[in-house]
Amino acid sequence: MFGDKGIHIGGITIAYYALCILAGAGIAYALMRRELKFKGYNTKETDDFFFNVILVGVLGARVWYILFSLPTYLSDPIAMFKIWEGGLAFHGGVIAGAAYGYYYFTHKRGYDFWDLADSILPYVLIAQAIGRWGNFFNQEAYGGPVSYEFLNKLMLPDFIIDRMFIDGQFHHPTFLYESIFCLISFFFIRLIIRKVKLRVGQSALLYGIFYSFGRMFIEQLRTDSLMFGPIRTAQLTSVVIIVVCVYLFYRFDKTKEQNTLQVRLSNNG
């Protein structure tokens, strides 16, 4: 039976939140696996990496969320393990995933980290676009109050408007803003790859720049931001990522070899 937040099978409930995350990750991996295979990587190694990095990413996202919500969890330590109730911070997940990727591919197998990152990170935008719908089903990660007329002018379907009616008020569907922004960013990066002679690592850096830029503005609308003192943690992290990625982008432009993926895509039309 389909419920508001999950599918009930006997005494088991499969949360839509989890299904959205897994669906997004699965679709993104199918796309990046095709590209990694095209570039000559061992698919068994990439399959093993995918299953491991999902666990590492979720753990990193949970730890990051808990670290910036310590007072809440110190008063109820058992709640740290209730991941099905939500409480994942994306930045923690991607940082943990990138660190594990470096260990798995570069440290243990000697692969070029940035070449792999070019084939992986842009597709993470697809996973994010789909995964954000988990927030929709959980009625979380929404923005401040708005009127029904505001949502109606956005030409949103009724099922989204109805779900954004929380605690007696309508709210910004920030999950949707981010989902759409991620899709647009993904296609824009793919367009750049086809049209511009990027260097190794620059596609991955574009992911960091584009996503962080959008997240910085969308985060301002949210009502549940993790805080670092008076600063929204996601905005601070986004600014740091943008600065680092922009610096590396221009540094790579002078020091890295031309990205062979761009050449292959151009030759394949």
Side-chain angles (χ1 to χ4, degrees), residues 35 39 41 106 111-122 193 196-206 245 247-264:
E35 187 165 307
K39 294 176 75 173
Y41 287 98
T106 302
Y111 293 134
D112 186 301
F113 174 79
W114 288 109
D115 184 55
L116 280 156
D118 279 340
S119 299
I120 293 173
L121 285 178
I193 290 173
V196 181
K197 292 182 179 179
L198 295 178
R199 309 287 183 175
V200 173
Q202 288 185 321
S203 298
L205 294 171
L206 284 176
C245 287
Y247 167 75
L248 291 175
F249 189 93
Y250 285 104
R251 182 182 175 189
F252 285 6
D253 200 41
K254 297 179 180 180
T255 61
K256 285 282 187 179
E257 295 179 359
Q258 182 174 311
N259 189 335
T260 56
L261 174 59
Q262 187 274 335
V263 176
R264 288 171 179 167

Side-chain angles (χ1 to χ4, degrees), residues 65-135:
Y65 187 88
I66 290 171
L67 284 176
F68 290 99
S69 309
L70 269 181
T72 299
Y73 289 104
L74 288 177
S75 63
D76 183 15
I78 299 299
M80 293 184 185
F81 303 97
K82 297 180 180 179
I83 198 169
W84 57 88
E85 294 182 354
L88 298 177
F90 176 76
H91 282 122
V94 76
I95 290 170
Y100 178 71
Y102 180 84
Y103 167 78
Y104 184 90
F105 283 117
T106 302
H107 178 72
K108 291 189 69 175
R109 291 165 175 78
Y111 293 134
D112 186 301
F113 174 79
W114 288 109
D115 184 55
L116 280 156
D118 279 340
S119 299
I120 293 173
L121 285 178
Y123 290 108
V124 173
L125 289 164
I126 298 294
Q128 292 172 254
I130 297 171
R132 274 300 172 195
W133 284 83
N135 299 133

Side-chain angles (χ1 to χ4, degrees), residues 140-146 150-151 154 164 166 170-177 221-222:
E140 62 186 8
Y142 51 82
V146 294
F150 173 85
L151 297 178
L154 296 179
M164 287 298 99
I166 304 167
F170 289 100
H171 290 265
H172 276 289
T174 46
F175 84 92
L176 182 63
Y177 301 161
L221 298 173
R222 287 177 54 169

